[in-house]
Amino acid sequence: MNVLLDNIDLYARGFLGTIELFVVAAIGSLVLGTILAGFRVSPVPVLRTFGTVYVNIFRNTPLTLVLFFMAFAYPRLEIADISFFWRASIGLVLYTSAFICEVVRSGINTVPVGQAEASRALGFTFGLTMSQVVFPQAIRSVVPPLTNMQIALLKNTTIAAGFSVVESGGIYAALSERGYNVFVGLMWVALGFIILVVPLTLLQRNLDRRWRTAR
Amino acid sequence: MKFRALVVGLAAAALTLTACGQSGSPGSAGPVVSEAPAADVTVPGSKTFDAIKARGNVIIGVKDDQPGLGFKDATTGEYSGFDIEIARLVAAKLGYGKDKITYKTVPSAAREDTISRGEVDYYVGTYTINDNRKQRVSFAGPYFVAGQSLLVKSSNTDITGKDTLKGKKVCSVTGSTPIQRVRDQGLTDQIVEFQTYTQCVDQLLSGQVDAVTTDDAILKGYAAQQPDKLKVVGQPFSSEPYGIGLNHDDSALRGKINDILQAAYNDGTWQKIYDNTLGKSGSPASPPALQRY
Amino acid sequence: MTAVLYDIPGPRARVRNGAIGVVGSVVVLGIIAFVLYRFAVTGQFDARLWTWITYVNIQYILLGALGNTLLAFAVAAVLSLAFGAVFAAGRLSDRAWLRGISTTIVEFFRAIPLLVLIFILFFGVSRGLGLNITAYWSVVIGLMLYNGSVLAEVFRAGVNALPTGQSEAAYALGLRKTQVMTNVLLPQALRNMLPTILSQLVVVLKDTALGFIILYPELLYQARFLGSQGQLGAPILQVAMVIAVIYIAMCLILSGLSKLLERRLSRSPRSGPTDPQAMADGANAVLIAHAQGGGAPAI
């Protein structure tokens, strides 16, 4: 117990960093993922190829390598000097959006083409087709895996701890240097994550149940 | 079809890669002090030494990524550095030559566990003696007293010591004691943490941070590798006595190793080892006083 | 060909698409050229920084690391499949207490980050229980616990997505619960969920990289080690680039194998597409993703 209380500053800082990183990366990856999905289903071959290559690269590279490049290769590009927190966020966004792109794309593909053709035959514009016909149906199959993705993102933020981002993944090292029992310290970190993840899981199950179709 | 082409392409690349290769290494140092292994050594009452004798070789815990201290050359697989030489000296005086030594790298946070479980016979790797650790392991030595210091680019004239760090970015390894000291003493609030010191040095060289801080022994190793680009500045602002980590209850081996170290201090071997490894960075040092307990 | 988002392009749309294509390719090529240029200017392509790859010893180190990665992957993959099957059966059980325990365990291991799990196994369990868990086993067991939990969910979704007619007919024929599971439901579920399972295995392969933090000598660890070799110029970025290519190649091969397997299995007369309506259940969206030929959303 005293491992937690004595080091409450470490834990508070660490989990605050986790939440900050998660919120920024979640929003960014949703935006970029949707854009990429748009690329992958667009009629322009160049955009389709770009989307496919991007997704194949980032889905098959470990997140650690992506963050590594952001931490060490980015300074050499000498574009703008941004803090490690933002570099880690960008790395997480680049990585997660590849997965989100796939989910959104599958969601779009679950809507039968007939729906879109019928709405176009009725004279709906592109915007109306999307918002009135395609989106509501796609949402049903997109949101639960998206929630899964965000839970995974929350857990992946711990990897950023190795690249100078104040994060809960670095707590154990500081505890070890201060001489505390690392095992107990890690169990508190695990508990913290369970507290963060369980609401998201409950949300996902809720959405599951609400949108399940009867058979 | 595409998949098969990919496999064939990779196989071809792999074959060509193994065809062209060179051995040897771009100028690595061989062992500095060649000690003939002593014969008929006994350390009565030492469980660790009995284990060594039964096994027939010594397992030493070391670091492998600190140039000048504990460093493994990737091109040859040879270990070199001040800590390694001390470890070899002790092994030789215990009766085991270079070929009877197995090196083992251990993550810093797991050092006490590894030593107390007997997975290594002793540990020589920038292992600072402190009371917290003395509750779980015992120390022979110290064999070197380091202090926290700063590494900057040679062209840097702003930073001359710990008081000139205000507003500058300082880098070290995640969660390490130097970082905590910088934080506790409020030397600067721009702290950058990475996984290894080499990554910090890379950040220093590319201008992302202004200084790297850790024990001056480690910093001197990096400075010795690139003396024209890096330099160690300022007075050490802490005291880090390095000891040889041993099993907590093995006082017989502790006494024996302390004797070996004292002999090396007296007959100049320690100085020779130092001058040929860390001493190359230009700063002199002399053997510390042993703390027997 | 119409698609959900757009109709067959007419003349104006074709011109517009062409223009967007040109602009797009200019932007993409521009970014790539800029990155390569900056790397060249800062000396990343200097011959000196690439000499490391010519040393035979280093090539052996990399091959050994590759072997270690694949070894950890193979063992962890088999163990996670077994773990997933056992706990999926637990979650589908009729007995509430068995269901409760399985659910708790699966949810617990899905909530903890893999990195923290590996730390707990390596630093924590060894000290707390006095067991000696090597780096290798920490990585493998950590991977097993985490991916096994995800696979348990996948198996369960697969069984739930089968038409109820299958189990109803099996019960009507007088088969008991276990026989229904093993003879009727599980084989079909496995075949349908195969793409998801295989993409989760790609995740296992990538996550072996986390072993580097506890000094398990796999690829990323050796990459970090090689990158710190000062006498070779500390080629951090160069090593990272080569390692990235190796990882991408390995994962692409694995995904390629999975697609091959999928194609071969879909030719078998016994397997057919499952009812899309039945798969509208959110938890089974993974099935939908694969039925439509998309990738698996598992991270």
Side-chain angles (χ1 to χ4, degrees):
Chain A
M1 193 62 207
N2 61 329
V3 175
L4 177 64
L5 294 176
D6 289 345
N7 298 296
I8 200 82
D9 56 324
L10 265 182
Y11 280 90
R13 256 205 313 252
F15 276 102
L16 196 62
T18 303
I19 295 177
E20 280 178 346
L21 209 48
F22 169 65
V23 168
V24 170
I27 299 176
S29 58
L30 277 174
V31 168
L32 186 58
T34 320
I35 295 179
L36 277 171
F39 279 8
R40 283 203 76 174
V41 298
S42 83
V44 183
V46 170
L47 295 180
R48 269 207 305 271
T49 325
F50 172 71
T52 316
V53 169
Y54 179 99
V55 165
N56 274 329
I57 288 183
F58 280 96
R59 272 189 9 165
N60 292 323
T61 319
L63 176 60
T64 329
L65 267 184
V66 175
L67 289 179
F68 187 88
F69 275 114
M70 284 311 294
F72 290 97
Y74 178 81
R76 287 171 160 115
L77 296 179
E78 286 176 25
I79 307 174
D81 202 15
I82 55 180
S83 74
F84 289 105
F85 172 80
W86 284 106
R87 275 187 246 167
S89 317
I90 293 179
L92 281 167
V93 165
L94 289 176
Y95 179 77
T96 318
S97 49
F99 293 86
I100 293 196
C101 162
E102 286 301 285
V103 170
V104 173
R105 194 174 67 99
S106 335
I108 295 179
N109 283 339
T110 57
V111 177
V113 179
Q115 299 277 319
E117 287 179 337
S119 72
R120 280 196 285 264
L122 284 174
F124 282 29
T125 63
F126 175 74
L128 270 178
T129 314
M130 280 301 293
S131 58
Q132 300 293 324
V133 174
V134 174
F135 206 57
Q137 298 186 54
I139 275 260
R140 185 176 292 219
S141 60
V142 156
V143 172
L146 267 189
T147 334
N148 260 340
M149 221 96 309
Q150 302 301 349
I151 294 177
L153 173 62
L154 177 61
K155 294 187 291 172
N156 280 340
T157 55
T158 49
I159 301 183
F163 298 96
S164 184
V165 179
V166 179
E167 221 277 342
S168 37
I171 292 181
Y172 87 99
L175 280 181
S176 162
E177 284 293 325
R178 285 188 189 179
Y180 286 94
N181 187 338
V182 176
F183 181 51
V184 177
L186 281 171
M187 292 311 274
W188 286 115
V189 173
L191 187 66
F193 269 100
I194 294 181
I195 294 177
L196 285 176
V197 167
V198 164
L200 286 174
T201 317
L202 289 176
L203 175 70
Q204 185 206 3
R205 290 206 191 285
N206 199 354
L207 292 173
D208 267 8
R209 230 176 312 130
R210 215 187 297 174
W211 287 335
R212 188 199 306 267
T213 51
R215 293 190 280 114
Chain B
M1 186 56 219
K2 259 192 348 179
F3 159 67
R4 228 179 306 178
L6 179 63
V7 169
V8 167
L10 280 175
L15 279 174
T16 44
L17 211 55
T18 48
C20 65
Q22 38 173 318
S23 327
S25 137
S28 71
V32 166
V33 179
S34 39
E35 287 280 334
D40 297 328
V41 180
T42 55
V43 185
S46 164
K47 282 220 298 250
T48 318
F49 190 72
D50 296 334
I52 297 178
K53 260 189 126 157
R55 208 186 303 124
N57 65 5
V58 191
I59 304 182
I60 312 182
V62 293
K63 292 262 166 82
D64 66 356
D65 58 353
Q66 290 172 348
L69 275 170
F71 186 72
K72 183 168 164 189
D73 189 334
T75 53
T76 56
E78 289 281 325
Y79 281 87
S80 61
F82 181 65
D83 284 343
I84 305 284
E85 292 298 326
I86 298 278
R88 279 197 191 123
L89 175 68
V90 169
K93 291 285 192 247
L94 285 178
Y96 293 88
K98 263 184 57 207
D99 48 336
K100 294 266 182 21
I101 300 179
T102 315
Y103 297 104
K104 199 171 155 123
T105 41
V106 175
S108 296
R111 284 185 286 205
E112 289 85 34
D113 278 330
T114 320
I115 296 174
S116 42
R117 274 208 298 263
E119 285 168 31
V120 297
D121 298 316
Y122 55 91
Y123 186 92
V124 188
T126 60
Y127 201 13
T128 313
I129 304 177
N130 72 34
D131 293 321
N132 240 347
R133 289 180 179 153
K134 273 193 186 160
Q135 293 174 4
R136 308 196 52 219
V137 297
S138 68
F139 288 96
Y143 62 88
F144 187 75
V145 177
Q148 187 170 343
S149 190
L150 301 166
L151 182 75
V152 298
K153 283 210 254 205
S154 306
S155 50
N156 186 315
T157 45
D158 301 336
I159 301 182
T160 51
K162 71 167 186 169
D163 301 314
T164 45
L165 274 182
K166 276 269 174 304
K168 301 277 195 297
K169 279 198 220 148
V170 113
C171 181
S172 190
V173 162
T174 314
S176 59
T177 328
I179 286 272
Q180 310 218 348
R181 202 169 279 122
V182 167
R183 224 174 243 138
D184 294 337
Q185 292 187 9
L187 299 176
T188 173
D189 49 4
Q190 303 211 42
I191 299 178
V192 173
E193 302 176 32
F194 276 95
Q195 296 158 354
T196 64
Y197 293 115
T198 313
Q199 291 175 353
C200 273
V201 171
D202 181 87
Q203 295 283 320
L204 176 66
L205 287 171
S206 64
Q208 294 295 303
V209 300
D210 301 306
V212 179
T213 181
T214 179
D215 302 344
D216 57 357
I218 303 176
L219 296 177
K220 281 182 200 171
Y222 286 107
Q225 270 191 335
Q226 303 187 65
D228 47 333
K229 291 220 187 85
L230 301 169
K231 63 180 180 185
V232 179
V233 294
Q235 290 298 316
F237 47 96
S238 73
S239 171
E240 314 279 340
Y242 288 162
I244 300 185
L246 293 167
N247 189 290
H248 186 254
D249 306 313
D250 199 337
S251 45
L253 189 60
R254 198 165 67 226
K256 175 77 183 162
I257 296 187
N258 277 330
D259 293 336
I260 297 176
L261 288 175
Q262 190 65 59
Y265 295 172
N266 295 342
D267 66 9
T269 319
W270 188 100
Q271 197 62 52
K272 203 156 75 157
I273 294 180
Y274 179 80
D275 292 335
N276 275 302
T277 50
L278 288 180
K280 286 209 185 122
S281 66
S283 35
S286 48
L290 289 175
Q291 292 169 15
R292 294 182 189 253
Y293 66 96
Chain C
M1 34 105 224
T2 58
V4 175
L5 284 190
Y6 57 89
D7 210 340
I8 303 176
R12 264 211 317 201
R14 269 203 293 267
V15 169
R16 193 177 57 212
N17 288 344
I20 297 180
V22 168
V23 169
S25 30
V26 164
V27 168
V28 166
L29 287 174
I31 294 179
I32 296 179
F34 173 70
V35 168
L36 288 175
Y37 165 70
R38 289 280 353 149
F39 275 179
V41 160
T42 49
Q44 299 304 320
F45 292 128
D46 282 352
R48 186 182 65 97
L49 287 178
W50 289 91
T51 55
W52 57 272
I53 210 172
T54 58
Y55 286 94
V56 174
N57 218 41
I58 293 189
Q59 290 164 13
Y60 283 146
I61 289 181
L62 282 178
L63 277 175
L66 188 61
N68 278 336
T69 301
L70 290 175
L71 180 67
F73 161 68
V75 178
V78 168
L79 287 178
S80 353
L81 284 171
F83 186 92
V86 166
F87 279 90
R91 288 202 66 175
L92 290 168
S93 160
D94 283 335
R95 302 185 202 128
W97 59 271
L98 202 56
R99 255 201 329 262
I101 294 182
S102 311
T103 314
T104 321
I105 291 184
V106 165
E107 285 310 313
F108 179 73
F109 286 118
R110 275 181 70 192
I112 306 182
L114 185 54
L115 200 59
V116 174
L117 195 53
I118 290 181
F119 283 155
I120 290 181
L121 285 169
F122 187 67
F123 294 117
V125 174
S126 339
R127 186 193 294 213
L129 301 180
L131 297 169
N132 180 14
I133 300 189
T134 62
Y136 170 72
W137 281 110
S138 307
V139 173
V140 168
I141 295 180
L143 284 172
M144 171 191 92
L145 291 173
Y146 172 67
N147 288 293
S149 310
V150 175
L151 282 175
E153 283 297 286
V154 169
F155 288 149
R156 192 180 70 96
V159 169
N160 280 340
L162 291 173
T164 40
Q166 295 282 320
S167 50
E168 283 170 354
Y171 282 120
L173 283 173
L175 293 174
R176 265 174 283 121
K177 169 96 188 201
T178 326
Q179 289 171 315
V180 171
M181 263 300 185
T182 51
N183 292 344
V184 176
L185 294 180
L186 271 184
Q188 292 186 56
L190 233 75
R191 212 172 290 135
N192 289 333
M193 299 308 278
L194 204 55
T196 317
I197 295 173
L198 284 165
S199 73
Q200 192 62 30
L201 290 185
V202 172
V203 171
V204 174
L205 181 57
K206 276 194 309 174
D207 280 346
T208 56
L210 289 181
F212 83 104
I213 247 185
I214 48 173
L215 305 192
Y216 175 60
E218 46 75 56
L219 269 179
L220 200 56
Y221 169 78
Q222 298 293 15
R224 197 177 65 167
F225 170 65
L226 287 174
S228 68
Q229 296 282 305
Q231 81 279 25
L232 294 167
I236 291 187
L237 276 178
Q238 288 66 22
V239 178
M241 285 193 245
V242 172
I243 297 290
V245 168
I246 295 181
Y247 268 110
I248 294 178
M250 273 198 304
C251 295
L252 280 178
I253 291 180
L254 195 56
S255 316
L257 276 173
S258 86
K259 282 214 186 75
L260 212 68
L261 202 57
E262 189 185 346
R263 217 173 307 146
R264 187 151 313 163
L265 281 178
S266 68
R267 271 189 255 135
S268 147
R270 268 187 297 158
S271 84
T274 48
D275 180 15
Q277 264 314 97
M279 297 190 291
D281 177 357
N284 303 323
V286 285
L287 265 179
I288 301 173
H290 277 286
Q292 306 296 330
I299 286 194

